Amino acid sequence: MFGLGSSLLRDLSKYSDEEYERLVWQAKVRRGDAIWVIPSGVGLLAGGLWVGAAVLMHMGMMRAVPTWAAPSLANFGVINAIVALCVAVAAGMAVRWWMIVRSIRRIVNKAGCPYCEFSLVGLRVQNGWVRCPECGQRVYLHEHRLTEDDLIPEGGWYRPIEGAGPRGAYLDPGRA
């Protein structure tokens, strides 16, 4: 919906249907009551804004159009109430989807930078912290409930090619 989760959906294609459902469930549980309260509030706000705009529009029409040609307040109100309900539901669903996608991203990318969400996987820990290569912030693992094991890549640590130096080329563990 609106491209908010398209990159996430590509990333989740490696998971089975059961694992995907588990991730969605975890995201919903992680957000708790906010998964309904915040979208409901946004929906009510969007619907209220629509009603306010409709009232202003009706008042403008009453001034500009002769009274015999202006739509009746009842017809105008019913139509705009239905549209306001649709706007409220659509806004609430969009915010709810965005919140679930954001939670799934954080679950999947557990070892992400808390400042920019860049993956910290593969970085070496120095005295209990790592520096994010994207934003440059110092991330203390204990403050963000991370361990050194959370930063180990799926295939394990890469070993350097002989003679490459401390920051040189690395071999893929699958090819080594």
Side-chain angles (χ1 to χ4, degrees):
M1 178 187 271
F2 307 116
L4 290 174
S6 59
S7 64
L8 174 70
L9 294 177
R10 280 193 307 273
D11 294 342
L12 293 178
S13 63
K14 65 182 176 184
Y15 294 101
S16 69
D17 290 340
E18 295 82 27
E19 291 172 324
Y20 176 76
E21 291 297 324
R22 184 182 52 81
L23 283 172
V24 171
W25 178 81
Q26 283 179 332
K28 289 178 181 177
V29 169
R30 183 173 184 260
R31 296 303 307 192
D33 290 340
I35 202 71
W36 289 107
V37 173
I38 293 172
S40 298
V42 168
L44 287 173
L45 180 65
L49 289 173
W50 181 269
V51 169
V55 167
L56 290 174
M57 190 169 48
H58 189 268
M59 289 171 45
M61 281 193 311
M62 293 303 288
R63 288 186 189 141
V65 178
T67 55
W68 58 270
S72 72
L73 184 58
N75 290 342
F76 193 76
V78 169
I79 291 170
N80 279 299
I82 292 170
V83 172
L85 181 65
C86 293
V87 166
V89 168
M93 287 176 63
V95 169
R96 185 172 187 268
W97 171 254
W98 176 76
M99 290 174 70
I100 289 172
V101 166
R102 187 170 174 220
S103 290
I104 290 174
R105 274 198 183 120
R106 290 190 176 180
I107 291 169
V108 170
N109 186 17
K110 182 179 178 182
C113 175
Y115 306 102
C116 68
E117 296 185 6
F118 189 81
S119 177
L120 302 175
V121 174
L123 298 177
R124 300 281 182 185
V125 178
Q126 305 168 15
N127 299 324
W129 61 272
V130 296
R131 185 164 306 276
C132 176
E134 183 70 15
C135 66
Q137 292 289 331
R138 185 181 282 194
V139 179
Y140 291 94
L141 299 181
H142 69 279
E143 289 179 5
H144 301 286
R145 297 183 186 142
L146 294 172
T147 64
E148 290 188 37
D149 293 340
D150 293 330
L151 303 182
I152 297 175
E154 284 183 28
W157 290 109
Y158 295 89
R159 64 183 177 87
I161 296 174
E162 288 184 35
R167 294 183 171 255
Y170 286 83
L171 286 176
D172 185 346
R175 295 184 187 185

